[in-house]
Amino acid sequence: MREAMFIKKNREKWHAYQHEPSTGPDETAERFITLIDDLGYAKTFYPRSRVTEWINGVAAGIYQNIYRNRRHKFTRIINFWKLDVPLTFRKYHKVLLFTFLFFAVAVALGVLASVHSPEFIRSVLGGNYVDMTEDNISRGDPFGVYKDNNPFSMFVRIAFNNIKVAFYTFAGGFVAGIFTMYLLWSNGIMLGTFHYLFFSHGMGFNSILVVWIHGTVEIASIVIAGTAGLVIARGMLFPNTYSRLHSFRNAVKDAAKMLLCLVPFFIIAAYLESYITRLMSNSFDKSMHTGMPVWMGMLILITSLASLVCYFIIWPRVLYRRLKNEAAVVQPPVTVTYA
């Protein structure tokens, strides 16, 4: 292969390795192995070329970074949450935005369909559930569904159900994302219909305050699980400059990391729904004289939302810019010219 063709084929990859931080140890090792292969080829066929010096410099920088960042297992766990997960999400912020907008459209259509066809509510939520909810509202206990006699059994059931839904949404990516989008669509329609049922009875604000104490974390986690599924689908359908198998393998690794990080969030959501939401629902039960103050429910809701936005959106962008600036200082770019 001529040198100019060799550079043209690999220049973007080398530039990315030099200036874009990796998302974790596995990707760093893969980058290092790839560069060693390219360096061996360059030394064989272009031993005096500047491109050989460039590849060697990038590979040396990665090696020094690996050596400098060797840590104990406990530190690796910290780095997983502090670095690996945020940087993975930074790579797929556009996919996350698309997933959120798609889900939001489904919620809006659920509301609109319920407004124009009251029977639509029963077809989505089920007649028994609607009858039970309307009966609870007439008795002055609109959110009685959250008052299971055993909070712990409720916690376990909800946690496993949330994890199951997230796994199905993630696995839907293996069929080109079709099943993932179906689950996002159906859950969005259901959420919009559910809220309209309470709004139609003049309890819209109350439903938001009660449901979104746990729903903020729960719904955000479903959207993120959907993002993981669409990441797999994108890696399968749009490999870009990589081979399809290589692109698919990398996408599955990133998506699995996104799914794994959701487990504690689903546990938090299940705890909030089983223990905290029940207290908030007592505040709107006319037969109860104890409950959670409204301001405390709003505080939990706002704190949950702010935490999710900070961890999955703001911190990844801040971290990426910080690492990119540090890389630019430590490894100044080398200009390669060729005829």
Side-chain angles (χ1 to χ4, degrees):
M1 184 188 303
R2 295 181 59 184
E3 181 182 357
M5 181 61 66
F6 176 68
I7 295 174
K8 183 178 180 180
K9 182 179 178 181
N10 297 285
R11 180 171 54 183
E12 291 186 5
K13 177 182 66 179
W14 297 332
H15 188 272
Y17 286 2
Q18 185 176 24
H19 297 289
E20 297 181 7
S22 66
T23 59
D26 291 339
E27 183 177 343
T28 301
E30 185 177 347
R31 288 184 177 190
F32 185 70
I33 293 171
T34 301
L35 285 170
I36 292 300
D37 291 341
D38 292 344
L39 181 61
Y41 186 91
K43 283 187 173 181
T44 301
F45 295 100
Y46 328 112
R48 298 182 180 179
S49 172
R50 292 197 63 193
V51 70
T52 305
E53 299 177 8
W54 184 19
I55 301 171
N56 185 69
V58 177
I62 292 178
Y63 175 80
Q64 292 172 2
N65 183 63
I66 294 173
Y67 181 80
R68 184 172 59 247
N69 288 291
R70 288 189 302 179
R71 295 290 187 271
H72 298 293
K73 290 183 178 180
F74 183 72
T75 306
R76 291 184 64 182
I77 294 174
I78 295 176
N79 285 340
F80 173 79
W81 292 101
K82 182 181 177 181
L83 302 175
D84 291 357
V85 171
L87 288 175
T88 300
F89 275 92
R90 174 61 182 83
K91 288 173 59 178
Y92 300 109
H93 267 174
K94 290 183 179 180
V95 182
L96 178 61
L97 176 61
F98 170 82
T99 309
F100 170 77
L101 293 176
F102 181 81
F103 186 81
V105 168
V107 173
L109 289 177
V111 173
L112 290 175
S114 300
V115 170
H116 289 90
S117 176
E119 288 301 315
F120 180 78
I121 301 176
R122 291 183 174 272
S123 67
V124 173
L125 300 179
N128 292 334
Y129 183 85
V130 173
D131 291 339
M132 178 193 67
T133 301
E134 290 180 341
D135 181 60
N136 287 339
I137 292 174
S138 65
R139 291 188 295 105
D141 185 18
F143 306 104
V145 68
Y146 294 109
K147 297 177 181 179
D148 191 291
N149 292 329
N150 190 330
F152 181 75
S153 64
M154 186 177 177
F155 164 76
V156 173
R157 185 177 69 252
I158 292 171
F160 275 101
N161 182 70
N162 289 344
I163 293 172
K164 181 182 70 174
V165 172
F167 178 78
Y168 287 161
T169 308
F170 161 84
F174 290 97
V175 288
I178 296 174
F179 190 58
T180 296
M181 299 191 75
Y182 166 75
L183 289 175
L184 288 169
W185 184 261
S186 59
N187 279 278
I189 293 287
M190 188 181 300
L191 179 62
T193 304
F194 172 83
H195 274 299
Y196 178 76
L197 175 61
F198 285 96
F199 271 91
S200 65
H201 288 83
M203 306 202 67
F205 172 77
N206 297 350
S207 70
I208 291 175
L209 187 58
V210 172
V211 173
W212 287 89
I213 283 181
H214 65 271
T216 302
V217 178
E218 186 175 84
I219 297 301
S221 297
I222 291 176
V223 170
I224 291 172
T227 302
L230 294 182
V231 165
I232 294 175
R234 193 182 78 160
M236 180 191 306
L237 299 175
F238 307 105
N240 293 326
T241 58
Y242 295 103
S243 68
R244 193 171 300 276
L245 178 61
H246 183 78
S247 174
F248 176 68
R249 187 175 60 210
N250 285 342
V252 170
K253 287 195 301 184
D254 288 342
K257 190 180 299 183
M258 298 167 80
L259 181 68
L260 178 62
C261 84
L262 289 179
V263 173
F265 289 96
F266 279 128
I267 293 174
I268 292 172
Y271 174 81
L272 291 174
E273 184 170 356
S274 304
Y275 293 93
I276 308 302
T277 298
R278 142 195 319 261
L279 294 177
M280 192 72 250
S281 65
N282 286 339
S283 302
F284 303 103
D285 184 352
K286 295 180 180 179
S287 65
M288 299 290 292
H289 301 287
T290 60
M292 180 183 295
V294 172
W295 67 266
M296 186 176 295
M298 294 185 66
L299 179 63
I300 294 174
L301 194 159
I302 294 172
T303 301
S304 299
L305 180 61
S307 299
L308 290 167
V309 171
C310 287
Y311 185 70
F312 289 109
I313 299 177
I314 297 177
W315 172 240
R317 298 176 67 87
V318 171
L319 179 62
Y320 177 80
R321 285 198 299 267
R322 181 184 300 174
L323 293 179
K324 189 174 182 180
N325 291 337
E326 290 178 359
V329 173
V330 175
Q331 300 178 30
V334 177
T335 303
V336 177
T337 58
Y338 58 91

